[in-house]
Amino acid sequence: MSNAHRPGYSNFAAIVSGAFTIKSTIVRTAYHFNLDCRTRRHAASLSNPNQVIFSGIQPTGVPHLGNYFGALHQWVKIQDGAPSTTDLLFSIVDLHAMTLPYDRNELRLQKRQTLAALLAIGLNPQRSTIFFQSAVPAHTELMWILSCTASVGYLSRMTQWKVCPIIPLVAYVRTLCHLTTSRSSLLQSKLAMSDSIALSDPDAKAKLKLGLFSYPVLQSADILLYQYVPDSFAEAQITILRATHVPVGHDQEQHLEFARENAKNFNTAHGHFFCEPQTVISPANRVMSLKDPRVKMSKSHEDPKSRLLLNDDAGTIQFKIKAALTDSINGLSYDPVERPGVSNLLSLMSYMDSDHRSVEQIISEGQCLSMRAFKEEVAATVIKGLTEIRAGYDYYMSAPQAQYLQEVAAAGNETARLKAERTMTLVRRMIGIDEL
């Protein structure tokens, strides 16, 4: 992982000499589809020079390994593998962090922590546009426009205000007619209500806030806003650029279905502009909770020992993995149903192994290990794998780098505003609120 883009990092790297570069197996299978409105569907790849890649993460502070292997690691791979003509945008979607009560000072800190973490994992602000969602007014402008044709009945049947992802983590990859999405999230009840509760229920009326109820409209705006719009774009070409396929996890099908509904409603009201994004389920290996390995690793779990953060030090990592829930069966075997704890540690070790060993290889070489010894090896592997990321995070969070973080955000915010405005100029023309 290169740190060449970090100001003064060469000097800092010398202080932490011996840091290790993460070498991990690919943990998410990415599918890339292209649906051309003029012809027929065909496979696409990241070599398309007309790509615009957009990814977003909710600011919840320092990401954990579930976030990292669920999406962030893939973002760096996409960045490093994309041609120079591909636009890369990575957003900290702070507006989505406001749907539940929060502390404003904590949110400010978590935004800074998230930005520092994105730089630490290898996102390069000289190559990628890194910005805060709230700094680009087009997100909320398009949300309002879509809200004017969105169905309240449809929203009321959705589960986003009952059971929904508490930590949205999304990666959109869009080309001329192309979008890929990967998301890692843990389903949790926002309002502690049953899936079957109705909007008319007195309890729902008392607890539900408009922001939580309508945030899927903002999510639709996030998906539809960043598009490839060439300088010579002609109004007659509008229908060519709006076709998408969206690979997502099973828990996100409903949100993409609603995005299609919003695109359809807009087109019916104002003429064809957005092609409806199509869902393709994207399988992904998961990092599970250390304390409850049948659910995903998440910050919503009450026990901090359930998750490994990217900035955890060696002692903390050893402590958490030592306390990880396993079983009393002798030997190592991979069986997520019968041995979820051991299977989770095997997967985690394989993801972070510098020699790229598979789970099967680790099992073969570790059959004589006791559970205690196995956990020690897992901890050593994770410590080694996180050394450089942790050092980078501490560097960016240090007082001397505060100004640099502000500069990265300011530059990214301005670039994103300009790109979003190109889409919004066409949207305003379509709906009749452009200049007289």
Side-chain angles (χ1 to χ4, degrees):
M1 183 183 300
S2 173
N3 293 304
H5 62 277
R6 299 180 183 173
Y9 197 87
S10 56
N11 295 332
F12 175 76
I15 299 174
V16 292
S17 60
F20 299 94
T21 301
I22 288 182
K23 297 180 180 179
S24 60
T25 57
I26 297 176
V27 299
R28 177 178 298 276
T29 303
Y31 294 91
H32 305 291
F33 294 87
N34 188 326
L35 179 60
D36 193 321
C37 296
R38 298 164 296 180
T39 56
R40 293 184 180 274
R41 183 178 10 164
H42 59 280
S45 70
L46 288 176
S47 63
N48 190 322
N50 294 325
Q51 284 186 323
V52 178
I53 298 175
F54 170 79
S55 306
I57 180 173
Q58 185 171 330
T60 58
V62 184
H64 53 68
L65 284 184
N67 300 145
Y68 180 69
F69 286 113
L72 299 182
H73 181 57
Q74 292 300 104
W75 298 0
V76 177
K77 292 175 68 68
I78 290 172
Q79 171 192 263
D80 295 345
S84 60
T85 52
T86 298
D87 282 337
L88 303 170
L89 299 98
F90 299 97
S91 179
I92 298 172
V93 289
D94 46 352
L95 295 176
H96 284 291
M98 300 171 61
T99 57
L100 290 176
Y102 66 96
D103 179 85
R104 61 178 178 270
N105 292 323
E106 183 179 6
L107 178 58
R108 292 190 186 103
L109 173 62
Q110 290 177 332
K111 289 173 60 174
R112 184 182 172 207
Q113 289 174 326
T114 304
L115 177 56
L118 293 183
L119 297 177
I121 66 170
L123 289 187
N124 185 347
Q126 297 178 3
R127 176 65 183 93
S128 303
T129 301
I130 306 173
F131 70 101
F132 290 106
Q133 178 194 33
S134 61
V136 183
H139 283 266
T140 49
E141 181 183 3
L142 183 55
M143 177 192 180
W144 174 252
I145 292 170
L146 296 176
S147 295
C148 292
T149 54
S151 167
V152 172
Y154 198 114
L155 272 171
S156 68
R157 294 189 297 273
M158 295 182 70
T159 60
Q160 86 282 352
W161 53 280
K162 308 168 190 174
V163 178
C164 66
I166 195 157
I167 305 177
L169 186 59
V170 64
Y172 304 110
V173 181
R174 185 186 293 274
T175 66
L176 184 70
C177 293
H178 170 103
L179 179 68
T180 296
T181 302
S182 63
R183 177 181 291 264
S184 174
S185 59
L186 175 67
L187 291 181
Q188 171 171 314
S189 175
K190 289 267 190 173
L191 297 181
M193 294 179 178
S194 168
D195 286 354
S196 60
I197 195 169
L199 188 60
S200 58
D201 186 279
D203 194 31
K205 288 183 178 180
K207 294 181 179 180
L208 182 60
K209 306 301 181 184
L210 179 59
L212 180 56
F213 179 70
S214 63
Y215 93 77
V217 185
L218 177 58
Q219 190 176 62
S220 296
D222 297 337
I223 293 172
L224 298 173
L225 182 58
Y226 294 96
Q227 312 210 19
Y228 173 69
V229 182
D231 294 329
S232 59
F233 187 83
E235 188 169 4
Q237 292 176 294
I238 285 178
T239 58
I240 296 175
L241 302 179
R242 297 314 187 276
T244 61
H245 269 67
V246 187
V248 298
H250 288 275
D251 56 343
Q252 288 305 305
E253 288 182 90
Q254 188 180 59
H255 290 273
L256 267 297
E257 179 65 34
F258 185 64
R260 287 195 292 270
E261 180 75 7
N262 282 326
K264 184 189 303 181
N265 291 345
F266 180 95
N267 294 341
T268 299
H270 304 293
H272 188 80
F273 184 76
F274 296 114
C275 284
E276 302 167 24
Q278 301 300 307
T279 301
V280 178
I281 301 301
S282 178
N285 293 325
R286 302 173 177 178
V287 177
M288 311 304 283
S289 166
L290 297 179
K291 301 303 291 183
D292 185 2
R294 296 187 185 278
V295 300
K296 291 182 187 178
M297 186 174 288
S298 169
K299 288 188 179 178
S300 63
H301 197 289
E302 61 183 12
D303 190 345
K305 296 193 298 294
S306 68
R307 52 192 172 271
L308 292 166
L309 303 181
L310 296 186
N311 70 330
D312 279 344
D313 59 30
T316 301
I317 293 171
Q318 289 171 337
F319 174 71
K320 290 180 177 180
I321 292 181
K322 182 179 179 180
L325 180 65
T326 51
D327 55 55
S328 58
I329 301 174
N330 293 328
L332 302 179
S333 61
Y334 186 81
D335 187 341
V337 175
E338 298 298 328
R339 307 190 71 186
V342 173
S343 299
N344 186 39
L345 293 181
L346 284 167
S347 295
L348 184 59
M349 188 172 180
S350 178
Y351 298 161
M352 305 204 73
D353 187 64
S354 59
D355 295 324
H356 303 280
R357 288 182 299 170
S358 66
V359 167
E360 291 74 17
Q361 288 175 303
I362 294 172
I363 291 174
S364 176
E365 297 172 14
Q367 279 297 347
C368 297
L369 294 176
S370 66
M371 190 57 62
R372 178 178 179 177
F374 170 60
K375 287 184 175 181
E376 289 175 352
E377 287 207 1
V378 174
T381 300
V382 174
I383 292 168
K384 180 178 179 180
L386 286 182
T387 297
E388 184 176 355
I389 292 178
R390 181 173 59 255
Y393 174 81
D394 291 341
Y395 170 74
Y396 287 119
M397 286 297 291
S398 65
Q401 294 306 310
Q403 181 62 36
Y404 176 66
L405 290 183
Q406 293 179 3
E407 292 171 357
V408 169
N413 293 344
E414 180 61 22
T415 299
R417 279 194 290 266
L418 293 174
K419 293 179 183 296
E421 183 60 24
R422 299 177 73 182
T423 298
M424 290 310 300
T425 296
L426 299 173
V427 169
R428 295 186 197 108
R429 183 192 307 170
M430 291 291 296
I431 67 177
I433 62 170
D434 52 341
E435 295 183 3
L436 297 178

